Amino acid sequence: MSEKPVVTIEYCSMCNWLMRSAWMAQELLSTFSHELGAVTLKPGTGGIFEIRIDGALVWERKRNGGFPGPKELKQLVRDVIDPERDLGHVDRVKAPKAAD
């Protein structure tokens, strides 16, 4: 049996992004409780916010223009660890509202 993937969220502690990072970790652990080996939080400085899966960079705040939303985060991780998995309501596209 192969090792389960590990997600690392490195955040800027000087920017007070711990709570945001912890919330993202909770979301990932709730959604991928059986697929992930761990989600770790790594404090950093200098405005850093990066998400890595087994060391591979999948999100960088400066490169990607901010922080991922919950839907985007879950899809991003799913696409790496289990591309065939259906995330249910997270994957559903909202129908456009009818014009009045």
Side-chain angles (χ1 to χ4, degrees), residues 5 7 13 22 31 33 40 43 45 53 56-57 68 72 77 79 87 93-94:
V7 175
S13 59
T31 302
S33 61
T40 60
T45 59
I53 302 174
L57 183 66
E72 188 173 20
V77 171
D79 290 349
L87 291 174
V93 178
K94 290 183 181 179

Side-chain angles (χ1 to χ4, degrees), residues 23-96:
W23 171 79
M24 289 184 180
Q26 174 202 324
E27 287 291 315
L28 292 177
L29 288 168
S30 295
T31 302
F32 302 104
S33 61
H34 300 289
E35 294 85 3
L36 293 175
V39 177
T40 60
L41 300 179
K42 181 179 176 184
T45 59
I48 193 166
F49 186 86
E50 296 178 355
I51 299 173
R52 295 178 184 273
I53 302 174
D54 289 337
L57 183 66
V58 295
W59 186 275
E60 181 182 20
R61 183 187 64 83
K62 293 175 183 175
R63 178 189 74 190
N64 296 96
F67 301 95
K71 177 179 179 176
E72 188 173 20
L73 175 64
K74 291 175 185 183
Q75 289 174 332
L76 176 73
V77 171
R78 182 271 319 269
D79 290 349
V80 173
I81 69 168
D82 190 5
E84 301 300 315
R85 179 172 174 182
D86 179 10
L87 291 174
H89 72 280
V90 172
D91 281 334
R92 289 191 188 84
V93 178
K94 290 183 181 179

